[in-house]
Amino acid sequence: MSMKILFINACVRDNSRTRMLADHLLSRLSGEITELNLDEEPLAPLGKDRLDEREQLLREGKLQNPMFRYAHQFADADLIVCAAPYWDLGFPSLMKIYLEAITVSDITFRYVDGIPQGLCKAGRLIYLTTSGGPVFADFGYSYVKTLAQSFYGIRETVCFKAENLDVYGMDVHALLEKAKKEITEYLTAEK
């Protein structure tokens, strides 16, 4: 059976440099890749009405409701690849909305004696990002890593990044190539 790879694409710009890293990684993976382009999905934040609807569905045990399709898809993947540019010390808001949608009790995690226990199949999450300046406080990857390990049960997380891409005088091509080389070396070492 082929490995199920879920590619969460939060790259909304044409010619995204983060997407370039993702394409490099994905071309080196074998398995069934499903891309979820967050910019093309009908994602909505959990405002009062959606939160009330979600809580009602959970109380009634209606976990197969379409509202939970992202959570089921995430929980069923063998490998998660996230591509999200570094914006304002984190990731684009679409990524946060997506994370709200997948963090669902009894689908991606459950509480056992008040402690979250992961229910996701994936053993690894690979996070890719790029930034125009330095990544001196990364509330993007660290947030995703904490959710993955503390809630979803994904033991291994790794981040590849290319930073300072908009700093005057930097060799953008060389910085991207360095990140691609790190990705290739990581994948080669795991075989």
Side-chain angles (χ1 to χ4, degrees):
M1 180 181 254
S2 181
M3 179 169 58
K4 290 184 191 175
I5 302 165
L6 177 59
F7 170 41
I8 303 160
N9 179 2
C11 305
V12 298
R13 289 188 172 135
D14 294 333
N15 303 314
S16 165
R17 298 175 294 200
T18 304
R19 178 63 197 242
M20 289 177 196
L21 294 184
D23 289 343
H24 178 80
L25 170 76
L26 294 169
S27 71
R28 283 153 178 75
L29 297 176
S30 55
E32 176 189 330
I33 300 171
T34 299
E35 178 178 352
L36 186 66
N37 186 329
L38 300 185
D39 196 38
E40 296 173 359
E41 294 296 318
L43 293 165
L46 286 176
K48 182 187 179 328
D49 292 341
R50 284 183 56 79
L51 186 59
D52 288 347
E53 177 186 4
R54 174 177 158 143
E55 288 176 351
Q56 180 69 28
L57 291 168
L58 290 173
R59 275 193 304 277
E60 295 172 0
K62 296 181 178 176
L63 298 178
Q64 296 307 316
N65 186 281
M67 178 180 268
F68 304 124
R69 70 182 175 100
Y70 298 118
H72 285 291
Q73 181 184 48
F74 188 91
D76 195 42
D78 299 310
L79 171 66
I80 308 292
V81 175
C82 296
Y86 181 76
W87 292 356
D88 304 324
L89 303 180
F91 41 66
S93 60
L94 282 172
M95 187 71 171
K96 174 61 174 141
I97 294 169
Y98 173 76
L99 293 170
E100 281 183 341
I102 66 167
T103 306
V104 181
S105 184
D106 295 325
I107 299 176
T108 53
F109 76 99
R110 69 175 164 230
Y111 284 110
V112 177
D113 298 325
I115 298 169
Q117 179 183 60
L119 298 175
C120 296
K121 288 175 33 180
R124 182 172 40 152
L125 181 145
I126 302 173
Y127 189 89
L128 306 160
T129 193
T130 58
S131 66
V135 178
F136 55 87
D138 187 356
F139 302 112
Y141 170 63
S142 60
Y143 182 77
V144 172
K145 177 181 178 178
T146 300
L147 276 175
Q149 293 178 341
S150 299
F151 273 80
Y152 309 143
I154 301 172
R155 295 173 308 284
E156 181 185 348
T157 65
V158 63
C159 178
F160 296 100
K161 62 186 173 187
E163 55 188 318
N164 295 314
L165 299 177
D166 294 334
V167 173
Y168 180 76
M170 291 298 209
D171 184 341
V172 174
H173 178 76
L175 293 170
L176 289 169
E177 288 304 310
K178 179 178 181 271
K180 289 178 183 179
K181 182 179 178 194
E182 291 170 359
I183 291 167
T184 302
E185 288 172 353
Y186 170 78
L187 294 174
T188 303
E190 75 169 2
K191 290 183 180 180

